[in-house]
């Protein structure tokens, strides 16, 4: 049976990649149900005597024990690698959330600055226009000697 740590590992990795909750539950249930049949199942070490008392039999037994230990070590490395991978996925997900948050904050700040510039442009336009502007009337400028 999967341990709580194993289920947590799978769940963390799936959440880290933003998998839907329904998919996470289905995968966790599948792994748990398939592991139920393995409860109490262990690879039993083979003693050197299982291959007989000859020198060759003894050597086969020693080789079987070494192979068994290598298999145990490799499964441990695999479990450790999966835990490291899970941690890396969590870190990546946190960084993505941080970048998204920073980007959203920056975009909000830029939108506010743009709105402020747009307001200033509108105010400047309103102040520079007059009611006679564009009415088709021509006004003669004052003569140069009129003291204007």
């Amino acid at each position: 049976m999967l341990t709580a740590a194993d289920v947590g590992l799978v769940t963390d990795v799936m959440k880290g990649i933003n998998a839907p909750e329904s998919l996470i539950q289905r995968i966790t249930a599948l792994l748990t149900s398939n592991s139920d049949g393995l409860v109490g199942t262990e690879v039993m070490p083979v003693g050197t005597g299982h291959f007989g008392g000859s020198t060759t039999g003894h050597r086969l037994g020693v080789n079987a024990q070494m192979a068994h230990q290598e298999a145990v070590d490799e499964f441990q490395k695999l479990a450790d690698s999966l835990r490291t991978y899970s941690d890396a996925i969590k870190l990546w997900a946190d960084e993505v959330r941080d970048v998204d948050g920073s980007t959203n904050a920056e975009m909000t700040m830029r939108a506010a600055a743009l709105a402020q510039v747009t307001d200033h442009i509108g105010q400047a336009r309103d102040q520079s226009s007059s009611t006679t502007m564009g009415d088709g009337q021509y006004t003669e400028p004052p003569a140069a000697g009129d003291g204007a």
Side-chain angles (χ1 to χ4, degrees):
M1 181 185 308
L2 288 175
T3 66
D6 296 330
V7 172
L9 175 68
V10 171
T11 302
D12 288 345
V13 169
M14 297 296 290
K15 285 183 179 178
I17 60 173
N18 292 326
E21 188 63 34
S22 60
L23 178 63
I24 294 171
Q25 290 173 356
R26 286 196 323 252
I27 289 174
T28 304
L30 178 69
L31 291 172
T32 303
S33 66
N34 286 334
S35 69
D36 287 344
L38 299 175
V39 174
T41 303
E42 290 183 27
V43 178
M44 299 301 293
V46 177
T48 55
H50 285 83
F51 294 96
S54 69
T55 304
T56 305
H58 177 75
R59 187 70 199 144
L60 283 172
V62 169
N63 288 344
Q65 287 177 338
M66 290 184 338
H68 179 266
Q69 188 58 49
E70 283 299 316
V72 169
D73 292 347
E74 289 303 314
F75 279 116
Q76 186 59 52
K77 288 177 189 175
L78 175 63
D80 293 342
S81 295
L82 288 174
R83 286 184 190 91
T84 302
Y85 179 70
S86 174
D87 292 342
I89 290 288
K90 285 183 211 173
L91 179 62
W92 172 80
D94 291 344
E95 287 175 358
V96 167
R97 275 191 292 276
D98 291 346
V99 167
D100 284 348
S102 298
T103 301
N104 287 338
E106 184 175 337
M107 293 304 288
T108 300
M109 182 182 71
R110 288 182 182 203
L114 182 60
Q116 189 176 22
V117 167
T118 303
D119 287 346
H120 287 304
I121 290 172
Q123 289 171 2
R125 181 192 62 230
D126 293 344
Q127 289 173 0
S128 68
S129 65
S130 71
T131 58
T132 61
M133 201 172 201
D135 65 356
Q137 300 293 319
Y138 175 74
T139 306
E140 189 70 37
D146 289 345

